[in-house]
Amino acid sequence: MGNLTIAIDGPAGSGKSTISKKISKELNIVYIDTGAMYRALTLKILKNKTNIYDKAEMNKILQNTNIDFKNNHIFLDGKKVDEEIRNNEISTNVSDVAKIKEVRKKLVEIQRSIASNKSVIMDGRDIGSFVLPHANYKFYITASIEERGSRRCKELKEKGYNANLEEIIKEIEERDRIDSTREVSPLVKCKDAFEIDTTDKTIDDVVSEILGIIRGDN
């Protein structure tokens, strides 16, 4: 049997990353958090005060940035940045960075390269439709915007940040709009993807459902 590839897509706050991490452990395969890759690049851009509309500046950043995963941690230029990339400033800016054609081209190259020689589960906005169109399994994970906002708010408060639910819901609505209307690889549900609404389900419920489909139980 060849390598196993699983594509998980869905909007912000739907639970993709948490679900994907658990499945990667259950199946003992590599987890690639593509959203974290875009967040890591956004972190570097904000720190360097790079003008994202200046192509020369952006190309320089892209040529001199290394993003890698080791033991389910993300490294930016050799430094672990798991916590830094989750703050609200990154969340607010990441969609604008992710819609840049050159950014997507560079990061998709890295993503496909990782998936070409090992079994992976990868989550993002355009995995099944664009990054891994021939994935063995595709899933579209979603939830109501109120539920997604509530999860994000809880996550931020647990990390010690001030969080306003109404503001977070507005930010998620705007991210949804940008992600689903961008010119390059917009967020879409593939025709051959299994759709799972997580609004009234626990993470473990969803993990069991996905594993059942992969193992042929369902």
Side-chain angles (χ1 to χ4, degrees):
M1 186 180 168
N3 290 329
L4 174 68
T5 51
I6 305 168
I8 307 269
D9 288 303
S14 54
K16 301 184 302 295
S17 299
T18 308
I19 290 160
S20 298
K21 281 177 190 169
K22 283 185 172 269
I23 290 169
S24 80
K25 284 182 181 172
E26 283 285 337
L27 298 177
N28 194 27
I29 61 177
V30 176
Y31 165 55
I32 308 296
D33 181 349
T34 65
M37 294 173 75
Y38 288 100
R39 283 173 172 270
L41 185 62
T42 303
L43 173 66
K44 184 166 181 174
I45 285 165
L46 291 174
K47 278 190 170 179
N48 289 3
K49 296 185 169 57
T50 304
N51 177 1
I52 63 171
Y53 302 105
D54 184 321
K55 284 200 172 183
E57 272 193 58
M58 284 300 296
N59 281 331
K60 191 175 175 185
I61 281 265
L62 289 170
Q63 294 306 316
N64 293 287
T65 297
N66 181 265
I67 298 171
D68 198 9
F69 291 90
K70 292 172 191 168
N71 303 319
N72 276 348
H73 296 290
I74 185 164
F75 290 78
L76 172 66
D77 298 329
K79 183 191 171 198
K80 190 165 78 171
V81 290
D82 295 4
E83 292 299 318
E84 277 186 274
I85 63 169
R86 297 295 167 189
N87 74 45
N88 224 36
E89 188 184 12
I90 305 294
S91 297
T92 309
N93 287 280
V94 67
S95 288
D96 285 323
V97 172
K99 70 182 182 182
I100 298 167
K101 195 185 296 183
E102 291 79 11
V103 167
R104 300 201 74 78
K105 184 171 182 282
K106 174 70 175 177
L107 293 193
V108 167
E109 279 174 15
I110 297 171
Q111 291 154 15
R112 285 177 175 161
S113 172
I114 296 169
S116 68
N117 56 18
K118 58 186 77 171
S119 291
V120 300
I121 180 165
M122 197 178 290
D123 78 73
R125 305 286 194 280
D126 61 348
I127 308 305
S129 61
F130 183 67
V131 182
L132 300 176
H134 304 297
N136 300 108
Y137 296 94
K138 299 178 186 179
F139 297 92
Y140 186 85
I141 310 294
T142 188
S144 71
I145 195 150
E146 293 79 15
E147 176 65 19
R148 292 190 282 134
S150 175
R151 288 173 186 169
R152 178 74 183 141
C153 192
K154 185 184 174 194
E155 180 191 341
L156 287 169
K157 283 180 175 174
E158 283 173 354
K159 289 179 178 175
Y161 295 106
N162 288 324
N164 177 287
L165 181 58
E166 282 183 25
E167 284 177 14
I168 287 169
I169 286 175
K170 280 181 187 171
E171 285 169 7
I172 289 176
E173 281 178 331
E174 178 61 9
R175 282 188 68 189
D176 285 353
R177 186 193 67 76
I178 294 171
D179 291 341
S180 55
T181 59
R182 68 187 179 214
E183 185 184 347
V184 185
S185 304
L187 168 66
V188 291
K189 176 189 173 290
C190 297
K191 288 179 182 175
D192 54 346
F194 294 93
E195 182 169 349
I196 301 175
D197 189 322
T198 68
T199 305
D200 299 311
K201 294 177 179 173
T202 67
I203 292 294
D204 287 340
D205 287 341
V206 180
V207 169
S208 294
E209 191 173 339
I210 290 173
L211 288 173
I213 291 167
I214 292 168
R215 289 168 174 161
D217 301 338
N218 296 358

